[in-house]
Amino acid sequence: SRQESEKLLTSYMKDFQSNSSSLSYDTLFDGIDVYNSGTSLVEVSDGASVESFTLKTIDLAKKDIVQFGYIKSKDTKVGNDDGTLEIKIGEDSSNPDKTIDIDYTKDMTLRELSQAITDQAGSDISVSILQTSDDKFNIILTSKETGAAQKLTITDKDSNLNADLFDSGKGYKTVQDAQDSKFEYNDIEITRDTNKISDLILGVDITLLKEGDTSVVEIVKDDLSIVSEVEKFVQSYNTLKLNINDMTAYNKEAKTKGVFQGDNFVRGISKGITDIVTSRGSGNSLIDYGISINRDGSMSLDKSVLEKQLSDNRQDVKEFFTGGTFRNGDEKEGIFERINTKVKSYTGYNKLLSDFESSLKRNRFAKGIFTSIAISLLLLFSGCGSDGGGGVSGVSGGSDNGSGVSGG
């Protein structure tokens, strides 16, 4: 029906409007792609610097991990008398960045000592009790941050804790030494206290993951997304045009016609869209970017032309597509802004297609009333004809009666 076809037309128009709208936003041109040959993680934000570099990871930044000697159980008392456990945080223990004192008592258990360290040093150190085997429980201290400045130096100032806690024979040791990361950026050696590097390149976050890794990184503008959006635009244009052509066509040989054949409004949509698509702006047209209209009215994209324009004249493409303030200071409306505005004049709330839909409903309603009246009249006159037939039959009966009289 015409109403169903109008809904289909509106759907195709909205798809086309959505695709043209996507190409009208300048943020589409801010996208970035990263090509990385190694294992280092390289993440970029839109607008990041476009460049290539080599990253060689020499050392990863590490936390300091210290293991106390083992005690028989978590509830074994570890204090011989009251005292203080001192923890220094810093690369130079004679001049530490921070010193933390943990008071203990003679009745304190291993579990309670672990909690006391957490209470006093929890913002800088993670504390856990690890059962390494039967009847062997070790306190493990781990710096919360990486870097050489996180080195832990532990001293029982009063020597009143169980000596097993500091006995290397019982397992007391530095499991891992704190250290800075060391890497080469384009053959320049750099150190940081972390494996996450965010201050090297604007908009680029690097995470070192493996010692000995060499990552060759190339940060480029994301042209693939733009080409993909243009392909969607071309496809939606062709779908819209093909369906409008079918809806308005007339086949002389088959003597068939589209549901909107002869409808100036629907034909006007096709012409209006084609006119705006083929218009010129700032001396250019879509054909300069590989988008052209074929003889049969369909649209095609030469990707090689568009890709070359993006590579050689990216800013010009952006200005033509999205508009804005040009380098000469002029304010311009982009081609896809114009297309989007044109299509929205049809698809927007209470716009032309809404009016068209309403007119179809009114015409269908009026046609329904006319049909009902026509059927009613037909039935009425058909009924009268039946009565008249009876009257004629009655006259003939009279003739028969006359014949009877004559017979008499």
Side-chain angles (χ1 to χ4, degrees), residues 63-66 124-128 140-145 152:
K63 298 179 178 182
D64 208 62
I65 304 175
V66 176
D124 301 288
I125 300 170
S126 296
V127 187
S128 62
I140 308 295
L141 303 185
T142 305
S143 64
K144 286 196 170 180
E145 303 296 335
L152 304 176

Side-chain angles (χ1 to χ4, degrees), residues 205-216:
D205 293 326
I206 299 168
T207 303
L208 307 177
L209 296 174
K210 182 181 178 181
E211 293 180 349
D213 172 67
T214 297
S215 296
V216 179

Side-chain angles (χ1 to χ4, degrees), residues 120-345:
Q120 295 297 314
S123 61
D124 301 288
I125 300 170
S126 296
V127 187
S128 62
I129 298 177
L130 179 67
Q131 182 177 2
T132 53
S133 65
D134 291 342
D135 300 328
K136 291 182 179 181
F137 293 82
N138 305 72
I139 287 180
I140 308 295
L141 303 185
T142 305
S143 64
K144 286 196 170 180
E145 303 296 335
T146 58
Q150 299 302 311
K151 177 179 173 58
L152 304 176
T153 303
I154 302 167
T155 306
D156 181 9
K157 292 172 68 175
D158 301 293
S159 300
N160 287 329
L161 283 173
N162 189 325
D164 289 348
L165 292 172
F166 303 98
D167 185 349
S168 59
K170 298 284 187 178
Y172 178 79
K173 62 181 178 179
T174 298
V175 178
Q176 177 175 280
D177 288 315
Q179 70 178 28
D180 290 335
S181 63
K182 183 188 294 184
F183 59 95
E184 291 182 358
Y185 168 75
N186 290 339
D187 296 326
I188 301 171
E189 188 171 287
I190 298 173
T191 61
R192 292 288 187 273
D193 61 6
T194 177
N195 294 313
K196 295 183 177 182
I197 319 299
S198 58
D199 59 351
L200 198 63
I201 307 168
L202 181 64
V204 180
D205 293 326
I206 299 168
T207 303
L208 307 177
L209 296 174
K210 182 181 178 181
E211 293 180 349
D213 172 67
T214 297
S215 296
V216 179
V217 180
E218 186 177 5
I219 302 173
V220 298
K221 292 293 185 181
D222 180 14
D223 292 345
L224 293 178
S225 293
I226 299 173
V227 173
S228 176
E229 288 297 331
V230 173
E231 287 177 325
K232 292 176 186 176
F233 169 79
V234 171
Q235 183 179 1
S236 64
Y237 176 88
N238 286 334
T239 300
L240 174 62
K241 290 285 288 186
L242 177 63
N243 279 274
I244 290 179
N245 288 343
D246 287 344
M247 291 176 183
T248 58
Y250 177 73
N251 189 316
K252 291 182 179 179
E253 295 180 0
K255 294 184 179 180
T256 58
K257 61 181 181 178
V259 66
F260 292 126
Q261 195 274 327
D263 191 303
N264 291 331
F265 173 74
V266 178
R267 285 190 300 178
I269 293 176
S270 180
K271 183 179 184 305
I273 297 299
T274 300
D275 287 347
I276 193 70
V277 164
T278 55
S279 65
R280 304 186 71 84
S282 304
N284 293 337
S285 69
L286 285 174
I287 196 170
D288 298 314
Y289 303 93
I291 306 167
S292 57
I293 303 297
N294 304 313
R295 289 186 176 182
D296 63 359
S298 65
M299 181 182 285
S300 61
L301 169 65
D302 187 334
K303 288 173 61 176
S304 63
V305 173
L306 178 58
E307 288 167 352
K308 190 175 190 312
Q309 285 279 23
L310 287 168
S311 175
D312 298 345
N313 308 295
R314 188 182 183 85
Q315 185 61 29
D316 290 340
V317 179
K318 180 179 179 180
E319 290 174 353
F320 179 69
F321 277 25
T322 69
T325 303
F326 282 16
R327 282 169 292 186
N328 62 6
D330 291 343
E331 286 282 344
K332 299 291 183 180
E333 185 180 29
I335 181 67
F336 287 104
E337 282 187 295
R338 296 204 306 275
I339 294 172
N340 189 37
T341 300
K342 178 67 175 181
V343 180
K344 284 175 70 175
S345 71

